[in-house]
Amino acid sequence: MSISANLGTLLRFYATKQGSAFINYRDFCDFVRKYAEHHVEEQPDLVKYLGTPEDTVQAELEGLEEKHLVYMLEHFPNNQTIIVIMYFSAQYAQRYKEISLNSSIPFPSIGDLPKQVPLEALDRQSASDILPALFGKQDLKSPLLYCVQLPHDAPSILFPACVPVNVLTDAAMSKIRAMLKKEEYHDYFLKKLRNANPGKEISTQTFFDQFVTRPDSALQSMETSGDSFYFWSQLCYFIRQDFEKVKDRSIEEVNLLQSVSISEFHMMMLKNRIQKQHQKQDALHDLEQALNKPPYFFSMQGILKITDQKGIPLHGRYSDEDLKNFLETLTTESKNSELPKLLVFKIDSGTRFFVYKTKVFPLIVRLCNEAHDIVEKSLTDKWFKILSNYEKLPEMHDRQQFEECLKKEVGLASPVLYALLNSNFLPLLDIEMQNDVEGGDFKLFSDGHLLSYSKLLMLNSESILSNAKIMLPFWYTIPLISQIISFFMRKPKSGKNAAKQENEDNDLRVEKGLKQNKKNMTKREALAAAAKEIEAQFVPEGSTIDRELDSYSKQWNKLITKEAHAQLTEDVNSLIRDYMRKVIHTISAQTFTVNRIESLAESLVKTPNMQKISDQDALYIYIQLYIIRLVGNG
């Protein structure tokens, strides 16, 4: 049954009113019934306590007992006693306020509880479990009372959940600091610490003096100096070593042992937190550097796959929230009304990409170079088919129509280029980058207007039309013959029939593919299928693996002459093929993963011949793509 918050409140109120944590069960039931009769109109939930509330109260008490908020002490069946543990929480919360003002006041312990309170009535937690949990998330409204169990046989302490956990750790530090200020202990422990660190006398003295004289110095030194953790661990060890030898310990000595245990846990948590913080900062720094490398534009899926130099994903060292805040900062913060450092654009499919603003113009130039060949071949083939049927298209001779045609082709062939050219930030970026050396010497605008697609792609309709005509048979160039043939050969337009035929062809291909999948694939076929699946993770949306290979080869292969460029590319390809022949027998479809590809590429990049190539980043990606294509082609 769900526990009523009202009953817990009534228990604490009744115990405080009685001035005791021990409540007679029947007297409390009478109090609850009378309270419900007086306040049911104000609080309708109290209606369940009217009449005979014993059954309802008993059920809710069982739930509270499971949570260690109360304990049912049964003397005999008709005379039960309720021990309100929450009553002690309020008492000991006041004790911790007094300790924060006077470190000589001891921690509350089990011995402070009445003898009638059994250990099982308390919520016992080890310090190694409860301290990290409270530092992670603490409910200061909780009425729980923890029994914190300490290592090295140090007596357990009582700690109310409503007291901030840093009050406990600060109190432990204060007790150790107060002891070290005493003359008989100060020089003794300082000498032990200095003797344990020969050659570090000055840093040891500085740490010790700062800890003793400045309450806030301990935590600050941990964050700035790695030696501080080491010195602190030694100091705690020396204190515990000396006071554990004492047989008949005073309250002060017991408190010191408790304080050392609490402080050690606290410092270990702090050390781990600082290490994780440094790892997170290093990972985000590596991520920032990776975003500044090819291919320069990254989707969120691509960002999550970015690895460090050892091939370990960076995402494991920062959380999704950290990544969200990191990207939000880069994409929103700006100086002097400039564009943010990282820009965001979206392609037609809805995928969002991130790109550094200093890389936008070089990226556009690179994508335009790639799109030049693709669009030219596409239009040449398309126009050849049209001319073969003795037809014409408006874009063949109309300049405006040709520009529209190029725009449509770019949208199909290179969605990323199309999105960049039509982005809202491009005109502003052009103005901003005019006097910025990082922007490169690229002129995409003229008189405030983006250059035409024909100029960006360096294409013209005359050249494409000429190339398409060259592919035609010779009789197409003879006017009279071509007119006669066109009269008999021109086919009537039938869009429905063409679409129907295309659908039938697609159905046949799908059916053929399904039949093929039903067959038992060989190892080579299985590897090729695995490579095709992985290919989608390496090739950006709207591109192909051949286009990516060509793009990256132009980045790492700087040779100008066509022959030298082709020779170097072939030499690299040969090295990759030779290496894959040696290792292919060790790879199966199950082990051919992204991590394995990255490992193979890393081994190849580190070879002496590959090390001679300057752009190692582009070469590394090229090798991965080439391996995927080799395996994918079977």
Side-chain angles (χ1 to χ4, degrees), residues 558-569:
K558 305 294 185 181
L559 297 182
I560 299 176
T561 64
K562 186 176 181 180
E563 294 77 8
H565 186 281
Q567 183 61 48
L568 179 57
T569 302

Side-chain angles (χ1 to χ4, degrees), residues 591-606:
T591 61
F592 191 69
T593 61
V594 173
N595 289 338
R596 186 63 187 279
I597 294 169
E598 291 173 346
S599 176
L600 293 171
E602 187 175 357
S603 299
L604 274 164
V605 165
K606 292 180 179 179

Side-chain angles (χ1 to χ4, degrees), residues 349-444:
S349 65
T351 305
R352 295 169 69 242
F353 287 94
F354 299 86
V355 59
Y356 274 111
K357 66 180 181 181
T358 56
K359 300 297 181 183
V360 171
F361 283 11
L363 176 60
I364 288 177
V365 172
R366 192 196 89 190
L367 294 176
C368 284
N369 290 335
E370 294 176 10
H372 169 86
D373 296 336
I374 300 168
V375 172
E376 183 180 38
K377 185 178 185 307
S378 174
L379 289 180
T380 300
D381 293 342
K382 187 182 296 184
W383 289 7
F384 167 73
K385 292 180 180 178
I386 294 297
L387 293 174
S388 297
N389 291 329
Y390 298 95
E391 297 175 355
K392 293 181 180 180
L393 294 173
E395 53 263 32
M396 291 180 178
H397 303 285
D398 188 301
R399 184 179 183 82
Q400 186 61 36
Q401 291 288 342
F402 180 66
E403 292 294 337
E404 291 296 325
C405 176
L406 287 180
K407 185 175 181 180
K408 186 182 297 184
E409 288 290 330
V410 169
L412 296 172
S414 184
V416 171
L417 174 60
Y418 182 83
L420 286 172
L421 293 176
N422 291 276
S423 61
N424 293 329
F425 58 74
L426 196 61
L428 298 175
L429 184 61
D430 177 67
I431 298 172
E432 185 178 317
M433 287 296 171
Q434 284 178 0
N435 300 319
D436 195 321
V437 294
E438 291 189 80
D441 188 20
F442 306 112
K443 301 299 180 184
L444 301 181

Side-chain angles (χ1 to χ4, degrees), residues 13 31 35 52 110 137 148 190 198 208-209 257 297 360 377 382 388 448 457 482 508 518 522 553 578 624:
F13 173 76
F31 165 76
Y35 182 87
T52 54
I110 296 175
K137 184 178 181 181
V148 183
L190 175 58
F208 192 85
D209 291 343
L257 288 175
F297 63 99
V360 171
K377 185 178 185 307
K382 187 182 296 184
S388 297
L457 301 181
S482 63
L508 288 174
K518 292 179 180 180
T522 63
S553 70
D578 292 342
Q624 295 179 65

Side-chain angles (χ1 to χ4, degrees), residues 34 43 56 75 99 103 182 236 302 340 343 345 349 366 456 473 548 556 563 580 611:
K34 292 177 182 179
Q43 302 178 30
T56 303
H75 298 290
I99 294 174
S103 62
K182 296 180 180 179
C236 287
L343 302 176
F345 65 94
S349 65
R366 192 196 89 190
L456 290 171
E548 292 302 306
W556 60 260
E563 294 77 8
M580 289 302 297
Q611 287 290 307

